[in-house]
Amino acid sequence: MLGRAALVLGSALAGLAFGAVGPWIAIAAGRLFNAAPSEVGAGMGIAQIGSAFSAFLVSLVVTRVALPRFGAVAPAMVLAFTSVGMLVCCLVLPLIHSATGLYVFFGAFGLFLSLGAMFQPTVFQTLVPVSLIGRMVAVQFIVTMICAAISGPLVGAASDALAADGSHLITAMTVVAIPILILAALTLQMVRGSGFQAAKAEAEALNAA
């Protein structure tokens, strides 16, 4: 039970962190670095395409290397790793001083987010009985959407508190995202922890019943 709850909460926290940075990239590029709308759209579009394709390639490598070595827990390990990767990306966010740097950050952050999204369904299928998957997915969707909606206003409020002209927007994004990602990383570590095999065995027993 703990592993399933940690899976839902950790994934929701990752969505909350994305809401603190993703929607603000375009605004930061335009306001802070005077990037034209066409440049922002092209930069973010290329970054998103590149991150999704890169995540697909990485998932193929992980599937071939990690699954034979670590077994069923491998997808949960990858899921935990992705939150750490997003955290590292946010740690370097304050060092960015150009619109191009923001696009690179968006691509790197999106790589880990996409990789987590690719492996999350496998973890769900492993830990959640078939009879409960529909309800768990519904709960996951609702919690994630609520969390993602909360983080945007938090960044806006933090940015206004730091400077009324929005000059500290990147700092606000970082301040909001980092604690969330620390919690996400700790929570998702619980998914791959000692309770994984117990949750897996319980799900298999319920499926066989």
Side-chain angles (χ1 to χ4, degrees):
M1 182 63 183
L2 179 61
R4 291 191 283 270
L7 176 60
V8 171
L9 179 58
S11 300
L13 288 170
L16 178 61
F18 176 76
V21 294
W24 293 98
I25 294 295
I27 298 173
R31 282 190 183 180
L32 303 181
F33 306 119
N34 300 314
S38 58
E39 176 193 335
V40 174
M44 293 186 66
I46 292 172
Q48 190 164 13
I49 293 171
S51 65
F53 183 70
S54 299
F56 171 69
L57 294 179
V58 172
S59 70
L60 293 179
V61 175
V62 170
T63 300
R64 290 180 177 273
V65 175
L67 279 179
R69 182 173 180 180
F70 298 104
V73 75
M77 295 172 64
V78 174
L79 196 59
F81 170 74
T82 58
S83 59
V84 176
M86 289 187 285
L87 175 61
V88 172
C89 289
C90 286
L91 288 174
V92 302
L93 181 57
L95 304 177
I96 294 174
H97 298 292
S98 68
T100 301
L102 285 177
Y103 308 146
V104 173
F105 163 82
F106 185 67
F109 192 95
L111 165 63
F112 292 108
L113 188 68
S114 299
L115 191 61
M118 290 176 182
F119 281 93
Q120 187 199 43
T122 303
V123 181
F124 255 103
Q125 291 174 357
T126 303
L127 298 184
V128 180
V130 173
S131 59
L132 296 178
I133 285 181
R135 276 171 281 184
M136 287 290 291
V137 170
V139 171
Q140 170 75 65
F141 178 80
I142 293 171
V143 173
T144 301
M145 289 299 101
I146 292 173
C147 288
I150 292 172
S151 53
L154 286 178
V155 172
S159 177
D160 290 342
L162 291 170
D165 60 358
S167 58
H168 287 72
L169 178 56
I170 290 180
T171 302
M173 293 160 59
T174 306
V175 167
V176 173
I178 285 180
I180 295 170
L181 284 169
I182 291 174
L183 289 175
L186 293 174
T187 304
L188 289 173
Q189 285 292 334
M190 296 169 62
V191 178
R192 55 155 289 191
S194 57
F196 179 88
Q197 295 300 335
K200 178 175 177 291
E202 181 184 3
E204 290 175 345
L206 289 173
N207 290 336

